[in-house]
Amino acid sequence: MPHSFDWVDAFTNHAFGGNGCVVVHEADDMSEADRMALVRETSLSECAFIVESDVADFGARYYLADKEILMAGHPTIATVASLIDRGVIDLSGGEAEFTLEVGAGVLPIKVTGNGPDALISMTQPAPEFGAIQDKSVIAAMYGLNEDDIIAPPQIVSTGTPFCITLLRDKEALRRACLDVDAWAALNPPGTPRADLIEPFLVTLGGETEAGHTFSRLLLPAPMPPEDPFTGSATGCMAAYLWRHNFIETSDFRAEQGHWMGRPGMAHVRVLGSRDAPTGVEVAGQGKVLMWGILEV
């Protein structure tokens, strides 16, 4: 059965920036095997599939090349950008609020502005702060020195867990190179997604004057070797920095992807107190790059 799709660059307002995502419409009848095959076909990190929802205004499911991911940032931005481009969301009043059900639950979505510069904001759930990880193990995974990591790496989840790892400076961030064998030793085959120790490497200070943080996510096969922009990890990172007093204010600009030639930026705001954050707003723009019909 044919399905219409849009290819969207998320966390950017121009072509070939941010993180690309294919958004497939009316995808309830697509099998999981076909959804994952599409991710592999596109060589993207994730694809989004719009489905019916009984509990929200819209529903979507997100897939990696080999599994479903319950919460993901750039597919959320891409999904909403696709709905906006198709005229499904009414922005005649300059803004809209609605809900989107993903695998991890229902996300409140707010859109402000109109056209290609519309800012799409998702409210990620209250962060869960998990186990502290051994700095020496994380450093070795990236060919770094232990003292390149300036704070205890910690598992944080706002729907999808990441090991937030704060590095000393961009020089250390540039040196980071994933040892896939070390990754596999820490995450044996068959490890559930919720239990993966997936480091998100963070530095304070943006790559441009507009940014306040700059990050990288390096990945093992079958995923692409580096993710251009990771919205879910950005939410986890924001909660970590706010909780541990590394940022003075709860709202800032996060940058990622510039060294890959795919610059992206998110507007981030942590909700609640440092001791008990209640959620994280992550907002970005989306650019519909192309559209068509998918035959599977």
Side-chain angles (χ1 to χ4, degrees):
M1 177 177 176
H3 297 83
S4 62
F5 74 88
D6 294 324
W7 186 304
V8 184
D9 287 341
F11 290 107
T12 182
N13 62 355
H14 60 84
F16 313 125
N19 202 348
C21 180
V22 165
V23 180
V24 180
H25 290 257
E26 298 181 343
D28 296 84
D29 63 333
M30 277 191 71
S31 69
E32 287 200 335
D34 283 344
R35 294 177 186 184
M36 290 182 286
L38 179 63
V39 181
R40 295 191 294 271
E41 182 76 9
T42 62
S43 297
L44 294 168
S45 56
E46 292 147 70
C47 291
F49 302 85
I50 296 178
V51 296
E52 294 290 332
S53 174
D54 295 327
V55 297
D57 297 304
F58 302 97
R61 294 296 182 270
Y62 308 142
Y63 283 81
L64 304 169
D66 59 347
K67 62 177 74 71
E68 182 179 7
I69 185 169
L70 299 182
M71 168 60 197
H74 88 272
T76 298
I77 299 296
T79 294
V80 176
S82 176
L83 292 170
I84 292 171
D85 191 69
R86 288 171 177 257
V88 177
I89 296 170
D90 180 12
L91 285 173
S92 58
E95 65 177 26
E97 294 188 34
F98 52 92
T99 54
L100 176 67
E101 182 194 4
V102 299
V106 176
L107 299 176
I109 304 293
K110 182 176 182 179
V111 182
T112 54
N114 212 330
D117 292 324
L119 187 66
I120 301 161
S121 176
M122 73 189 92
T123 301
Q124 298 178 4
E128 298 179 1
F129 295 90
I132 299 294
Q133 302 300 307
D134 187 332
K135 284 205 299 184
S136 64
V137 172
I138 301 301
M141 188 188 299
Y142 294 94
L144 297 173
N145 302 317
E146 187 173 341
D147 62 4
D148 287 326
I149 301 175
I150 62 174
Q154 184 176 18
I155 303 296
V156 183
S157 177
T158 58
T160 296
F162 292 89
C163 179
I164 305 304
T165 304
L166 185 59
L167 300 186
R168 181 178 305 282
D169 51 31
K170 289 182 185 174
E171 188 275 333
L173 188 61
R174 283 190 182 275
R175 280 192 284 114
C177 182
L178 180 63
D179 182 332
V180 294
D181 292 332
W183 166 282
L186 198 61
N187 301 292
T191 300
R193 181 66 186 81
D195 296 329
L196 284 180
I197 299 174
E198 186 171 25
F200 189 58
L201 307 179
V202 179
T203 55
L204 298 175
E207 182 64 7
T208 74
E209 292 184 357
H212 301 93
T213 63
F214 189 68
S215 306
R216 298 179 73 193
L217 181 67
L218 306 180
L219 301 166
M223 293 175 284
E226 183 167 354
D227 202 34
F229 201 99
T230 319
S232 50
T234 294
C236 298
M237 174 262 289
Y240 176 95
L241 296 178
W242 178 239
R243 174 76 171 267
H244 296 295
N245 292 285
F246 287 110
I247 51 177
E248 295 182 1
T249 63
S250 62
D251 60 306
F252 63 96
R253 302 292 181 266
E255 295 182 329
Q256 188 181 344
H258 295 59
W259 298 347
M260 303 173 64
R262 299 193 63 92
M265 184 177 73
H267 303 242
V268 189
R269 183 164 73 101
V270 186
L271 308 176
S273 66
R274 290 189 189 272
D275 292 338
T278 58
V280 184
E281 291 180 354
V282 178
Q285 297 168 308
K287 167 68 175 178
V288 177
L289 186 67
M290 60 180 117
W291 54 92
I293 301 297
L294 172 68
E295 295 274 6
V296 293

